[in-house]
């Protein structure tokens, strides 16, 4: 693959790359690049997470050495799964199983547990050095990377250690590229600034978009003067708002029902979850989408790229119902192997039961 092809694959559908020039230079330097994404295991995997999973797949295919960090200790700090580390580890296994059955070649991934990194004293020396190079105000502002507001640092002081840990993970793993949703931007900007002060390698960061929830931002509590990041966090598909989400374990019928009920006004592309699912999850897999229609309504149409389909939709040439049916069919095809593999593992079923009974975050 040429450098241009690698660059194209790495950057497609990303919300932002900081910076594209640095990425090109790194690719040109020919060294095998090291990238990562960290995730907090939580046991529930909604299709928004497939956007970054697809980017992991793109990066692996673009020959980047990817690490998947199971952020177990981070999840503990963040009160995930009641802080039960055994449950958190089981949830991490679940996530890896989903990623594998989505089609990522996990034999090419370096899968690391935060549990192992925290055994090293060098790791903690890094955490302290990072903290020495960041103001308290900056650390508090970065709490959005854990899905919390700055004020939530008051809950307990461990929350303040988390951003310094996430930045240290980047240095400890000696990375070139950090991947995450746009809500991870503050960690990556901090890592870039601190890298200069500490003489460490400066990462390029790749941020994938946040999939909007099934209500498309309708009836959400958006107030005047709210920052763009906070609006995105409010309207995104989120496991803590189950009505906004399609989970990878949902049955075929549930997927169809949820899609049929989703926000998708005729001719409107903004915050349209159906179009976003097509753009970020279906097109990267199939490269074309067929909309099946009765001959009375113009018969079947095929689209070879997303932009073409979006244009036709905005012009009112595609009816929302036809768009939804095609989306449900393709999405179910993508989810089928994931669903099947999860069904074969009763231990995950038990974990989900336990989680849905007792855990709120
Ligand atoms: N709707 C979404 N679309 C795309 N990526 C998402 C979405 N929600 C979360 N992510 C990404 O998945 C990772 C985990 O995020 P997080 O645990 O906050 O999400 P969540 O499962 O929806 O939880 P919560 O209920 O706390 O919002 C982050 O890297 C984040 O960028
Ligand atoms: N903050 C990330 C998880 C994460 C933790 C540690 C990392 O090094 C990277 C990512 C999230 O909430 O999804």
């Amino acid at each position: 693959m040429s450098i241009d092809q690698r660059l194209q694959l790495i950057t497609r559908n990303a919300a932002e790359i900081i910076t594209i020039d640095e990425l090109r230079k790194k690719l040109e330097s020919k060294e095998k690049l090291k990238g990562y994404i960290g995730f907090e295991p939580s046991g529930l995997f909604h299709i928004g997470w497939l956007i970054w999973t697809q980017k992991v797949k793109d990066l692996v295919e673009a020959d980047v050495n990817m690490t998947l960090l199971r952020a177990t200790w981070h999840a503990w700090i963040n009160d995930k799964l009641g802080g039960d580390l055994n449950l958190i580890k089981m949830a991490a296994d679940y996530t890896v199983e989903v990623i594998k059955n989505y089609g990522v070649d996990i034999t090419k991934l370096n899968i690391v547990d935060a549990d192992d990194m925290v055994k090293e004293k060098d790791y903690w020396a890094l955490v302290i050095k990072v903290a020495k190079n960041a103001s308290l105000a900056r650390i508090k502002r970065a709490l959005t990377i854990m899905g919390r507001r700055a004020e939530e640092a008051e809950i307990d002081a461990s929350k303040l250690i988390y951003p310094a840990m996430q930045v240290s993970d980047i240095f400890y793993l000696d990375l070139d590229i950090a991947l995450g949703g746009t809500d991870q931007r503050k960690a990556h900007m901090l890592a870039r600034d601190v890298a200069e002060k500490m003489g460490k390698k400066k990462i390029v960061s790749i941020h994938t978009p946040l999939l909007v929830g099934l209500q498309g931002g309708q009836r959400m509590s958006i107030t005047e003067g709210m920052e763009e990041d906070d609006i995105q966090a409010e309207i995104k598909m989120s496991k803590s708002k189950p009505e906004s989400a399609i989970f990878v374990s949902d049955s075929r019928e549930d997927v169809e029902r949820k899609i049929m009920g989703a926000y998708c006004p005729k001719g409107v592309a903004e915050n349209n979850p159906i179009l976003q699912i097509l753009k970020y999850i279906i097109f990267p897999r199939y490269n074309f989408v067929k909309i099946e229609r009765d001959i009375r309504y113009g018969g079947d149409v095929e689209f070879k790229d997303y932009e073409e389909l979006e244009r036709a939709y905005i012009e009112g040439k595609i009816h929302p119902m036809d768009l939804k049916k095609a989306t449900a069919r393709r999405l179910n095809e993508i989810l089928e192997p994931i669903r099947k593999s999860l069904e074969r593992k009763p231990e995950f079923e038990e974990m989900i039961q336990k989680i849905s009974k007792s855990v709120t975050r």
Side-chain angles (χ1 to χ4, degrees):
M1 220 185 272
S2 70
I3 295 206
D4 280 337
Q5 285 168 325
R6 292 173 76 196
L7 200 62
Q8 200 276 336
L9 193 54
I10 296 172
T11 57
R12 70 163 172 177
N13 279 341
E16 61 181 353
I17 312 277
I18 308 169
T19 70
I20 191 93
D21 288 348
E22 290 172 23
L23 177 59
R24 178 177 278 283
K25 281 206 190 95
K26 278 185 190 272
L27 287 169
E28 283 168 353
S29 74
K30 289 223 177 70
E31 58 187 274
K32 181 99 179 167
L33 299 183
K34 290 206 254 176
Y36 100 127
I37 183 154
F39 69 90
E40 278 185 25
S42 61
L44 292 172
F45 194 123
H46 60 68
I47 60 168
W49 286 35
L50 292 180
I51 297 185
W52 61 253
T53 305
Q54 176 62 46
K55 189 50 66 195
V56 171
K57 193 165 186 284
D58 291 342
L59 282 154
V60 170
E61 284 165 14
D63 214 19
V64 174
N65 259 336
M66 283 300 286
T67 293
L68 187 64
L69 173 64
R70 301 165 30 125
T72 48
W73 270 46
H74 311 69
W76 171 35
I77 293 179
N78 207 5
D79 304 324
K80 291 279 163 80
L81 304 185
D84 178 340
L85 266 175
N86 288 328
L87 205 53
I88 289 172
K89 284 191 187 193
M90 173 68 93
D93 294 343
Y94 178 92
T95 308
V96 174
E97 185 70 17
V98 174
I99 290 174
K100 178 174 131 196
N101 287 286
Y102 177 74
V104 177
D105 181 355
I106 64 161
T107 61
K108 294 207 172 123
L109 294 181
N110 173 31
I111 302 179
V112 173
D113 261 48
D115 284 55
D116 291 323
M117 301 205 312
V118 300
K119 285 181 191 145
E120 303 294 325
K121 102 173 174 313
D122 291 353
Y123 177 81
W124 292 106
L126 266 176
V127 174
I128 291 171
K129 282 185 199 150
V130 169
K132 278 207 161 291
N133 283 288
S135 70
L136 181 57
R138 179 105 190 245
I139 293 279
K140 277 189 175 175
R141 280 203 303 275
L143 252 57
T144 49
I145 64 170
M146 22 189 330
R148 292 183 181 269
R149 284 169 287 111
E151 307 83 79
E152 290 185 85
E154 304 300 325
I155 299 177
D156 70 71
S158 75
K159 307 279 182 288
L160 290 169
I161 303 171
Y162 186 120
M165 283 173 71
Q166 188 160 332
V167 171
S168 303
D169 298 339
I170 290 170
F171 298 150
Y172 190 80
L173 294 167
D174 189 31
L175 300 167
D176 300 289
I177 297 175
L179 168 65
T182 50
D183 55 352
Q184 301 301 308
R185 185 189 293 120
K186 290 205 170 87
H188 299 156
M189 296 313 284
L190 186 60
R192 283 170 59 86
D193 292 351
V194 172
E196 275 178 13
K197 294 186 191 159
M198 286 174 59
K200 296 273 179 199
K201 203 170 9 174
K202 198 164 161 182
I203 45 145
V204 165
S205 56
I206 299 175
H207 299 141
T208 43
L210 298 181
L211 181 65
V212 70
L214 294 175
Q215 290 77 22
Q218 305 294 101
R219 298 187 295 278
M220 295 289 170
S221 43
I222 297 167
T223 49
E224 192 127 1
M226 227 165 141
E227 276 186 32
E228 184 55 32
D229 278 3
D230 295 331
I231 296 176
Q232 291 308 320
E234 179 62 30
I235 70 174
K236 82 181 184 91
M237 187 172 284
S238 162
K239 70 171 174 313
S240 39
K241 294 182 193 136
E243 70 291 353
S244 76
I246 295 177
F247 294 99
V248 294
S249 54
D250 281 346
S251 67
R252 291 185 77 83
E253 295 71 28
D254 280 346
V255 170
E256 276 166 22
R257 184 181 47 78
K258 287 181 178 185
I259 294 227
M260 289 306 164
Y263 172 80
C264 185
K266 194 160 192 244
V268 177
E270 196 188 3
N271 289 335
N272 182 326
I274 304 301
L275 284 175
Q276 291 188 3
I277 292 169
L278 281 157
K279 181 173 184 180
Y280 299 122
I281 300 170
I282 296 177
F283 267 100
R285 171 71 61 102
Y286 293 105
N287 290 319
F288 83 96
V289 165
K290 184 170 173 185
I291 312 268
E292 292 177 357
R293 292 188 300 197
D294 197 288
I295 198 80
R296 277 177 301 165
Y297 303 114
D300 299 352
V301 254
E302 273 189 25
F303 293 94
K304 296 215 168 44
D305 64 55
Y306 171 76
E307 279 66 33
E308 202 190 324
L309 182 146
E310 187 188 283
R311 230 175 295 124
Y313 189 72
I314 291 174
E315 288 167 3
K317 292 182 183 155
I318 308 284
H319 191 276
M321 266 310 154
D322 295 326
L323 191 78
K324 285 179 171 183
K325 279 188 203 147
T327 306
R329 198 178 52 249
R330 283 303 202 189
L331 184 60
N332 263 326
E333 273 172 34
I334 293 174
L335 297 182
E336 193 58 19
I338 300 176
R339 225 182 260 135
K340 284 240 170 71
S341 78
L342 295 176
E343 277 166 15
R344 280 195 297 269
K345 298 207 153 63
E347 64 273 27
F348 290 145
E349 182 55 32
E350 244 172 70
M351 177 196 73
I352 300 281
Q353 295 295 335
K354 212 165 165 183
I355 291 171
S356 32
K357 275 198 207 110
S358 60
V359 181
T360 49
R361 265 187 83 81

